[in-house]
Amino acid sequence: QVQLVQSGAEVKKPGASVKVSCKASGFTFTDYYMHWVRQAPGQGLEWMGWINPKTGGTYYPQKFQGTVTMTRDTSISSVYMELSRLRSDDTAVYYCAREISGYSFDFWGQGTLVTVSS
Amino acid sequence: DIQMTQSPSSLSASVGDRVTITCRASQRISNFVAWFQQKPGIAPKSLIYAASSLQSGVPSRFSGSGSGTDFTLTISSLQPEDFATYHCQQYNYYPFTFGPGTKVDIK
């Protein structure tokens, strides 16, 4: 069965960086693009970009260019999302999600709460 | 960026009711729309992709329709486990964007 298991909650100070992991199992890791989506407290969902686990290629929307970096480690079927220069409004739950080729997402990770506070 | 709006923002309904949620895109997006269900403190669950295709394992009481700018999610007979927030998403153009959500609660 498909599973996406994310790393645990983080508390960071403004200006710091955070790296969230997402470990995949139950499918061929390199066959599916992986996306990251975040949700601030009480707010809607916000898409942060994708990574192609086969090639390492990435796409980030303009809002996140320069602050987000997505990487992967094919040896352990994991993708990572690193967000730098954290601000208080980066406080959110961060989700990884698997893309059904060209058709949005089918499976989601359980989410990782990142709290940015001085 | 494409703006996705949803109506209503919330609704109260009873078990067995037929519920319809509308999503409108600020420009034409063909059928590149997905719907997600989310319960408090839990990750979203994927319901529908390509506007009307049901994800595997999703009950048939859920259906989606629409093309262009106007889309609907319908629950034919609301069940207790369906009380949740529903989000639409467009994935035709970057950046992918979501609607603000529609909360369905118990009347």
Side-chain angles (χ1 to χ4, degrees), chain A residues 10-12 16-20 81-84 86 94 114:
Chain A
E10 303 262 13
V11 179
K12 296 291 183 181
S17 298
V18 68
K19 191 171 186 178
V20 179
M81 187 284 300
E82 183 170 19
L83 194 60
S84 62
L86 289 168
Y94 289 77
V114 175

Side-chain angles (χ1 to χ4, degrees), chain A residues 14-64:
Chain A
S17 298
V18 68
K19 191 171 186 178
V20 179
S21 68
C22 171
K23 183 172 176 60
S25 62
F27 64 98
T28 302
F29 175 67
T30 51
D31 282 354
Y32 296 84
Y33 281 38
M34 295 295 294
H35 295 244
W36 289 88
V37 175
R38 73 178 184 180
Q39 186 172 37
Q43 302 301 307
L45 300 165
E46 182 175 32
W47 177 71
M48 300 179 69
W50 56 253
I51 181 168
N52 177 348
K54 181 177 289 185
T55 65
T58 56
Y59 180 89
Y60 314 132
Q62 186 173 16
K63 174 175 180 175
F64 294 103

Side-chain angles (χ1 to χ4, degrees), chain B residues 10-42:
Chain B
S10 66
L11 65 92
S12 296
S14 301
V15 172
D17 284 353
R18 181 181 181 90
V19 169
T20 298
I21 298 168
T22 296
C23 181
R24 176 164 288 174
S26 60
Q27 64 188 74
R28 296 181 67 83
I29 54 172
S30 185
N31 69 333
F32 289 87
V33 164
W35 289 92
F36 305 95
Q37 176 193 66
Q38 188 177 28
K39 298 179 181 179
I42 298 176

Side-chain angles (χ1 to χ4, degrees), chain A residues 39 50 100 104-105 108-109, chain B residues 38 43 46 55 89 91 94 96:
Chain A
Q39 186 172 37
W50 56 253
I100 333 163
S104 189
F105 317 138
W108 296 65
Chain B
Q38 188 177 28
S46 301
Q55 289 281 2
Q89 179 216 18
Y91 54 96
Y94 291 144
F96 296 167

Side-chain angles (χ1 to χ4, degrees), chain B residues 55-69:
Chain B
Q55 289 281 2
S56 175
V58 174
S60 58
R61 63 180 180 272
F62 290 92
S63 64
S65 65
S67 185
T69 59

